[in-house]
Amino acid sequence: MNASINGFRMHFDDAGKGAPILFIHGFPLNRTIWKAQVEALRKSYRVITPDVRGYGESEATPGVYDMELLADDMAALLRHLQCGPAIIAGHSMGGYMLFAFYRKYSELARGLILVSTRAVADAPEGKANREALAQRVEQEGPQPVVEKMLAPMLAAAAIAANPTLQSEVEYMMRNASLPGLAGASRGMAARRDATDLLSKITVPTLILAGTADALIPHAESEKMAQAIPNAHLHLFEGAGHLLSMEQPQEMNRVLAQWLKKFDSL
Ligand code: MLT
């Protein structure tokens, strides 16, 4: 469905009934990365999966997509649906958004699920690479993003086990809007370091990562797990960056187990 959210037309799915869980996808993907989680969890929860502005079927806007802006979008969506506080999951860039969200809207978060992400900001070289990528996208379209992101997104084992997986991911990348790809690249480059926030997170937090993630080393997840007071870490052996599609059954099992703690809260 669509709604006017924070000044643009956002597309999202809202499935099931129960405690709300919001799943935020990463760069340069869309809400369909959570398809298996929606199918499994909608039986017991209200599962909300938005397309971030500029991605999937959501409208694109020009300019830099700062993580604070994208966090405002998510808070506005929860208010529109009248369903906060929610348990909120963020994959990679979705995790960067979650840190910005928690700084500003902690009252809307009942629990956090940090998937294949990190708290640290980019080093100067990483920031420059993102700006170069944004400029190439503006001139050439999505091809430079596909060249940079497709190969490291999935572990070889996942591609071998599911021959259509890589083309599904490529399809998402090629269908992202150019302002979305450029705007989020610049927004990620500008993001604030969240290391100082970790010890202040008071809600239950689940941290998930693949041991074969070629984009964000799982050591980043181990560091976050040590710094966040009420955190539980689960590593997926042999999985790459896109856990929700690479190991959907195992991820659903881990999510269902961890979510039980909210039944009694
Ligand atoms: C993502 O999956 O959202 C990106 O890999 C994050 C990043 O480029 O830092």
Side-chain angles (χ1 to χ4, degrees):
M1 59 191 77
N2 290 299
S4 175
I5 301 289
N6 205 24
F8 73 106
R9 184 185 47 75
M10 181 187 272
H11 188 91
F12 57 92
D13 292 329
D14 182 2
K17 283 198 180 71
I21 313 178
L22 173 69
F23 282 92
I24 310 173
H25 68 81
F27 176 90
L29 305 169
N30 64 48
R31 72 186 193 288
T32 63
I33 69 162
W34 305 114
K35 198 166 68 180
Q37 288 68 49
V38 174
E39 282 315 306
L41 295 174
R42 64 181 296 170
K43 295 171 194 128
S44 316
Y45 299 91
R46 181 176 183 185
V47 187
I48 302 152
T49 47
D51 281 331
V52 171
R53 72 164 73 201
Y55 290 84
E57 295 174 64
S58 282
E59 189 182 353
T61 54
V64 178
Y65 291 13
D66 281 321
M67 295 304 114
E68 288 73 20
L69 173 71
L70 301 179
D72 289 346
D73 294 347
M74 297 304 151
L77 175 63
L78 289 181
R79 294 211 170 102
H80 172 80
L81 296 173
Q82 298 183 328
C83 72
I87 298 158
I88 314 181
H91 173 242
S92 199
M93 178 179 75
Y96 308 161
M97 264 182 250
L98 261 191
F99 293 128
F101 182 97
Y102 195 81
R103 280 192 201 278
K104 203 165 168 185
Y105 303 107
S106 60
E107 76 284 358
L108 291 178
R110 216 177 148 214
L112 301 180
I113 305 173
L114 298 167
V115 187
S116 310
T117 193
R118 63 184 149 203
V120 287
D122 286 353
E125 190 190 343
K127 288 184 204 279
N129 289 342
R130 296 218 201 255
E131 177 55 32
L133 183 67
Q135 289 182 20
R136 282 192 64 196
V137 163
E138 286 166 340
Q139 282 152 21
E140 302 168 36
Q143 182 61 25
V145 171
V146 175
E147 281 167 17
K148 188 176 155 81
M149 303 289 294
L150 186 57
M153 187 63 75
L154 302 165
I159 297 171
N162 180 353
T164 64
L165 192 55
Q166 200 165 32
S167 56
E168 286 173 49
V169 174
E170 180 173 354
Y171 182 80
M172 285 186 237
M173 293 180 173
R174 291 198 184 280
N175 278 281
S177 72
L178 303 188
L181 293 171
S185 293
R186 293 188 172 110
M188 285 192 284
R191 77 184 187 280
R192 184 171 165 185
D193 193 294
T195 309
D196 67 299
L197 180 72
L198 301 179
S199 64
K200 297 175 198 143
I201 295 176
T202 55
V203 293
T205 302
L206 178 64
I207 302 175
L208 307 178
T211 59
D213 189 333
L215 284 169
I216 299 183
H218 68 275
E220 296 292 344
S221 288
E222 285 163 355
K223 283 189 228 158
M224 293 191 295
Q226 277 162 17
I228 298 175
N230 193 2
H232 176 75
L233 171 70
H234 186 94
L235 296 178
F236 293 73
E237 201 52 49
H241 191 58
L242 195 41
L243 292 179
S244 61
M245 294 181 78
E246 290 186 39
Q247 296 197 10
Q249 310 310 332
E250 178 64 358
M251 182 163 171
N252 290 349
R253 189 189 66 74
V254 172
L255 287 172
Q257 178 67 30
W258 181 78
L259 286 165
K260 276 188 200 158
K261 70 168 72 248
F262 293 92
D263 295 349
S264 54
L265 291 180

